[in-house]
Amino acid sequence: MMPDSKKFIENLSGAGKCIGVLTSGGDAQGMNAAVRAVVRMGIYVGAKVYFIHEGYQGMVDGGDNIKEASWESVSSMLQVGGTVIGSARCKDFRTHEGRLRAALNLVQRGITNLCVIGGDGSLTGANLFREEWSGLLDELVQSGQISEEAALTHSALHIVGMVGSIDNDFCGTDMTIGTDSALHRIIEVVDAIMTTAQSHQRTFVLEVMGRHCGYLALVSALACGADWVLIPEMPPKDGWEEQMCHKLSENRADKKRLNIIIVAEGAIDQNNKSITTELIKDLVVRCLGFDTRVTILGHVQRGGTPSAFDRILASRMGVEAVLALLEASPGTPACVVSLCGNQAVRLPLMECVQMTQEVQKAMDEKRFEEAVKLRGRSFENNLNTYKLLSHRKMDAEHPHSSFNVAVLNVGAPAAGMNAAVRSAIRVGITEGHTMFAVNDGFEGFSKGQIKEIKWGDVGGWTGQGGSLLGTKRTLPAKHTDKIAEQMKIHNINALLVIGGFETCDRIKQSASGTKRRVFIIETMGGYCGYLATVGGLAAGADAAYIYEEPFDIRDLQSNVEHLTEKMKTSIQRGLVLRNENCSENYTTDFIYQLYSEEGKGVFDCRKNVLGHMQQGGAPSPFDRNFGTKIAAKAMQWISKKLKEFYREGRVFANSEDSACLLGMRRRALVFQPVVQLKDETDFVHRIPKEQWWLRLRPLMKILAKYKTSYDVSDSGQLEHIVRLRAKDISAI
């Protein structure tokens, strides 16, 4: 986009507009973050925002169910699960009379813009309401309940949807609000169960939600390395019972002390017959005699605090929804805000709903492969990765490639590294390579700490934190000759290097239990302010100081004054984040002392340096899944390049694309030659020269009540789901 065509939030006005926000259908973690973002963004641009309590039922009943929201009314709701404005199934709204009452209640309050957070049923109802709107107003005029002038003033109803559903069952978006949090609940239970299962050599059969969509079951299976998964989109072929029992028995023979089977509640066989947890338990006990237990997770998957991912996703969607309403014209179709890669996009609501319905139709008609494709490339890639990793390939199943591939970790340990190593090793073996593991990074490589690694050696690695291979920050330059010697000794043809250049929620909850307290938190990240920025967005921080955005004493003073003013009204707590290397002089101690001194009589301060606890603990479901898929993709790329570069018994790797970095760019995973990164990288500070996430910083400031400039040039493009899926050829 050309510079002179840029749009900024300060040029958009919501003056005179009234926005209603409601949550409908089943609750999902992150809904409150979306509501908070809609309210604060709406107020920020000058609009009035109304809570519609109890979903469509509240819209039909009116009265105190529809109340104007204030900035302070959404404080402290970011970290709360469920939906604080309530959600209810509403039979009345399905009737014409109910929608007529709802229209009257909205017109009486001047509301002609709706943000609906719910599933496909809730969004379909909203679109029907929009289509009937002019007719409903005509009826209200004829019955004398509203004037013709009121009907003319409120002649168009604008609808923007956000999908809140833990099942991730809506086509057109990579993730729905609540899905990541549900995965956290599932993986917490699975990790706990695995310890007791291992102690007693048990088999556990877990049922997770997903009556019509197997996303939760599939990604959970990837994230915990389950032995078997059953989902509605991929019914097992005839004879699956024998195959499953054979695999369980084979794993026990390899001295694996436990088995995990994950079942979606809607799992079926090829004849559309339900596959239940009890059926599987009886099968395992009868055929193998294994001690087998069943665990049904149920509504625990909907509970608990939302994950950081869901808070950020919902906040971004809420802001984008308000922008969509500001830019809507009478002819603009109802849209839904979706996630594609790392971008928020707008799609026609009914296109997405119709494709979602086509998935179920394909499943009912036993067109299961088509159903998987209709789910989207993200779901399809998850399924293909699971298939690739779940079944060990025997030598007879593939020709041996005679290529030797080594895997090593470098830089600081990061959660998800072990999942990536496991994936790389198993995909490499599947591709026919001999796989080697290098301990302690490049330093260990130079010392000959390298050995062949087999399929079973990486069992159980997915959920382990840190780096089981060991990693050091040592750069390869000082060991080049010795590394080359080791590569020659072991005939290494390719290297997969996993590493890099190298959570504030509980602290804020602590602050919420006290009177007027501000926490100053130092995060890691070197010179990269990503953790401080997205952590601040997820935790509702008042300020986040980073290296990429220089600041001085005047900025610090302004922040203190802003926070003091907020504290004098009704805000009882504050959170300030500081990236560890954001400034040589404005240290965490300096900022703590400044806030403590300037806030005397209004608030007190506490400080916390999170340190290496940020690197510890078990990896999140996202990190496990992302590490698994990105490593599988990397290993397949290596296999392809080895075949391309192999000539006369040797591998010739002298082109620039023989050494690439794999990472996410906007909407796709991209392999970029390392030599091209030279012009894009600040090597002194070990960060990219351009950081995509810096575009999120104005959101954090706006939601913290700062007046700021926000470039919304990327917004406003209503895309189409078919074109989007065709374009997004490398989505994860």
Side-chain angles (χ1 to χ4, degrees):
M1 188 169 289
M2 297 297 291
D4 59 357
S5 64
K6 282 191 173 183
K7 293 185 298 181
F8 292 91
I9 189 67
E10 49 266 45
N11 297 326
L12 297 175
S13 173
K17 290 181 180 281
C18 294
I19 300 171
V21 58
L22 68 145
T23 54
S24 178
D27 65 301
Q29 306 98 319
M31 280 184 164
N32 290 323
V35 171
R36 171 181 177 269
V38 169
V39 169
R40 291 196 166 178
M41 190 62 174
I43 293 173
Y44 182 87
V45 297
K48 284 186 176 181
V49 185
Y50 289 83
F51 292 133
I52 301 177
H53 292 272
E54 310 306 334
Y56 287 118
Q57 191 65 56
M59 193 190 297
V60 172
D61 294 342
D64 288 341
N65 288 303
I66 306 177
K67 291 182 178 179
E68 186 174 353
S70 67
W71 190 278
E72 290 74 22
S73 63
V74 292
S75 297
S76 302
M77 73 188 317
L78 187 62
Q79 68 271 23
V80 178
T83 165
V84 298
I85 61 174
S87 178
R89 310 282 180 183
C90 181
K91 292 182 179 179
D92 291 338
F93 194 73
R94 297 177 185 175
T95 67
H96 183 78
E97 293 74 15
R99 294 192 291 277
L100 188 65
R101 286 161 55 195
L104 175 61
N105 288 325
L106 294 188
V107 170
Q108 287 175 340
R109 293 162 179 81
I111 300 171
T112 55
N113 300 276
L114 284 181
C115 282
V116 181
I117 309 165
D120 62 331
S122 301
L123 300 181
T124 301
N127 188 67
L128 175 62
F129 191 41
R130 173 185 167 276
E131 290 176 344
E132 292 182 345
W133 182 254
S134 60
L136 295 172
L137 295 194
D138 288 342
E139 288 185 50
L140 292 172
V141 170
Q142 290 171 10
S143 63
Q145 295 181 76
I146 64 172
S147 65
E148 290 188 5
E149 183 182 355
L152 187 63
T153 303
H154 306 95
S155 59
L157 177 67
H158 305 298
I159 302 284
V160 174
M162 289 174 272
V163 188
S165 167
I166 69 168
D167 293 339
N168 203 28
D169 55 355
F170 193 81
C171 292
T173 185
D174 289 347
M175 289 285 274
T176 57
I177 296 170
T179 301
D180 186 70
S181 299
L183 286 170
H184 274 263
R185 301 295 92 79
I186 295 168
I187 294 304
E188 286 166 7
V189 172
V190 172
D191 286 351
I193 280 175
M194 288 177 81
T195 58
T196 183
Q198 195 161 24
S199 300
H200 298 279
Q201 297 193 62
R202 284 178 176 148
T203 296
F204 269 86
V205 185
L206 281 79
E207 180 185 285
V208 302
M209 285 188 168
R211 189 174 295 113
H212 303 293
C213 178
Y215 183 88
L216 288 178
L218 177 59
V219 175
S220 298
L222 269 176
C224 72
D227 298 279
W228 204 267
V229 65
L230 293 152
I231 60 174
E233 293 90 345
M234 185 186 68
K237 296 178 181 178
D238 293 340
W240 66 271
E241 299 93 339
E242 183 180 339
Q243 293 174 10
M244 184 184 75
C245 289
H246 175 73
K247 185 182 180 187
L248 298 180
S249 180
E250 188 180 65
N251 287 345
R252 287 292 178 93
D254 280 348
K255 299 182 180 179
K256 185 177 179 183
R257 293 177 59 86
L258 75 155
N259 301 111
I260 299 291
I261 302 167
I262 297 182
V263 187
E265 61 179 331
I268 53 175
D269 63 16
Q270 291 281 338
N271 300 309
N272 282 347
K273 182 181 177 183
S274 177
I275 299 176
T276 66
T277 51
E278 287 298 328
L279 184 151
I280 294 172
K281 175 187 174 182
D282 293 343
L283 175 67
V284 174
V285 171
R286 184 176 71 252
C287 297
L288 300 175
F290 291 171
D291 184 3
T292 306
R293 306 295 170 92
V294 169
T295 298
I296 298 175
L297 271 63
H299 283 77
V300 71
Q301 296 160 87
R302 291 191 187 278
T305 60
S307 67
F309 183 96
D310 273 327
R311 299 183 203 190
I312 295 165
L313 173 66
S315 296
R316 293 180 67 187
M317 284 185 169
V319 167
E320 186 69 23
V322 173
L323 294 177
L325 290 173
L326 290 180
E327 296 171 351
S329 63
T332 304
C335 74
V336 62
V337 179
S338 300
L339 179 72
C340 184
N342 61 20
Q343 288 191 294
V345 298
R346 303 176 197 171
L347 299 173
L349 189 153
M350 290 314 296
E351 281 187 18
C352 298
V353 168
Q354 287 161 8
M355 184 164 284
T356 303
Q357 293 170 347
E358 285 177 25
V359 175
Q360 188 59 48
K361 183 179 179 183
M363 289 164 60
D364 292 341
E365 296 174 356
K366 300 183 181 181
R367 294 180 283 115
F368 296 110
E369 288 187 9
E370 184 178 342
V372 168
K373 291 186 182 299
L374 287 170
R375 280 273 179 237
R377 193 161 294 272
S378 176
F379 186 94
E380 188 177 5
N381 285 350
N382 278 318
L383 183 55
N384 290 338
T385 304
Y386 176 79
K387 289 177 179 178
L388 200 60
L389 296 172
S390 60
H391 301 293
R392 184 186 319 205
K393 304 296 188 294
M394 299 296 107
D395 288 340
E397 294 183 54
H398 56 70
H400 200 276
S401 70
S402 298
F403 292 127
N404 293 344
V405 180
V407 180
L408 70 156
N409 293 154
V410 299
M417 274 185 165
N418 296 319
V421 171
R422 169 185 174 270
S423 176
I425 298 298
R426 292 193 169 180
V427 173
I429 292 171
T430 298
E431 295 281 335
H433 309 318
T434 301
M435 300 300 296
F436 288 83
V438 178
N439 295 112
D440 296 335
F442 287 116
E443 186 175 323
F445 203 174
S446 70
K447 295 176 181 178
Q449 294 174 211
I450 178 172
K451 62 179 181 180
E452 186 177 349
I453 189 166
K454 302 288 189 179
W455 183 283
D457 295 337
V458 291
W461 281 33
T462 308
Q464 298 291 316
S467 168
L468 293 175
L469 289 182
T471 179
K472 292 190 176 181
R473 292 181 178 270
T474 311
L475 296 174
K478 59 168 68 174
H479 302 294
T480 303
D481 292 340
K482 290 182 178 180
I483 290 173
E485 183 181 342
Q486 290 297 326
M487 291 185 72
K488 186 175 181 180
I489 291 171
H490 296 281
N491 191 29
I492 301 300
N493 304 114
L495 279 180
L496 177 59
V497 182
I498 300 169
F501 252 165
E502 289 296 38
T503 12
C504 309
D505 183 41
R506 292 182 184 176
I507 292 167
K508 188 163 186 186
Q509 286 179 11
S510 168
S512 68
T514 64
K515 289 294 183 181
R516 295 191 174 92
R517 175 163 291 173
V518 175
F519 273 91
I520 315 293
I521 311 298
E522 180 183 299
T523 67
M524 295 180 80
Y527 287 94
C528 179
Y530 176 83
L531 284 178
T533 296
V534 297
L537 187 57
D542 297 279
Y545 302 115
I546 64 172
Y547 171 78
E548 293 91 341
E549 196 172 273
F551 59 97
D552 57 25
I553 192 66
R554 288 165 295 187
D555 297 311
L556 290 170
Q557 185 64 37
S558 174
N559 293 153
V560 173
E561 291 171 356
H562 180 82
L563 192 52
T564 302
E565 194 62 35
K566 287 171 66 176
M567 289 286 187
K568 287 178 179 177
T569 55
S570 61
I571 304 298
Q572 300 294 309
R573 59 210 158 275
L575 180 65
V576 175
L577 300 178
R578 177 190 177 274
N579 166 251
E580 59 182 344
N581 289 339
C582 67
S583 171
E584 185 178 346
N585 297 311
Y586 301 127
T587 64
T588 301
D589 284 335
F590 178 92
I591 293 174
Y592 165 70
Q593 290 167 6
L594 176 67
Y595 273 75
S596 297
E597 182 65 29
E598 297 297 320
K600 274 184 179 178
V602 181
F603 58 80
D604 64 358
C605 285
R606 296 290 186 273
K607 68 174 178 177
N608 195 308
V609 179
L610 298 180
H612 285 81
M613 67 171 288
Q614 295 161 86
Q615 295 178 338
S620 69
F622 178 89
D623 281 331
R624 300 183 195 194
N625 189 31
F626 187 72
T628 296
K629 289 195 291 185
I630 202 169
K633 194 174 185 71
M635 187 52 65
Q636 289 174 322
W637 178 87
I638 284 175
S639 295
K640 177 185 174 185
K641 291 299 178 183
L642 283 171
K643 292 170 186 174
E644 283 182 14
F645 298 147
Y646 184 75
R647 292 188 298 277
E648 300 177 1
R650 295 178 61 191
V651 175
F652 293 85
N654 47 14
S655 62
E656 72 172 28
D657 66 340
S658 63
C660 284
L661 174 71
L662 174 59
M664 172 71 74
R665 284 217 166 185
R666 294 174 71 86
R667 303 183 182 185
L669 283 171
V670 176
F671 289 95
Q672 184 170 11
V674 174
V675 294
Q676 294 180 8
L677 297 174
K678 183 177 179 181
D679 295 333
E680 301 176 15
T681 305
D682 175 353
F683 284 96
V684 174
H685 299 102
R686 298 166 67 167
I687 55 175
K689 291 179 180 177
E690 290 188 16
Q691 306 267 40
W692 70 268
W693 50 265
L694 286 172
R695 296 197 302 272
L696 300 180
R697 286 188 62 79
L699 296 189
M700 185 189 73
K701 293 178 181 179
I702 287 171
L703 297 178
K705 213 173 183 178
Y706 284 92
K707 287 292 182 183
T708 188
S709 182
Y710 178 33
D711 184 356
V712 295
S713 304
D714 289 339
S715 301
Q717 302 297 318
L718 188 65
E719 304 190 29
H720 293 279
I721 187 170
V722 175
R723 181 172 66 85
L724 184 70
R725 288 176 65 247
K727 179 171 61 178
D728 188 22
I729 58 173
S730 299
I732 59 169

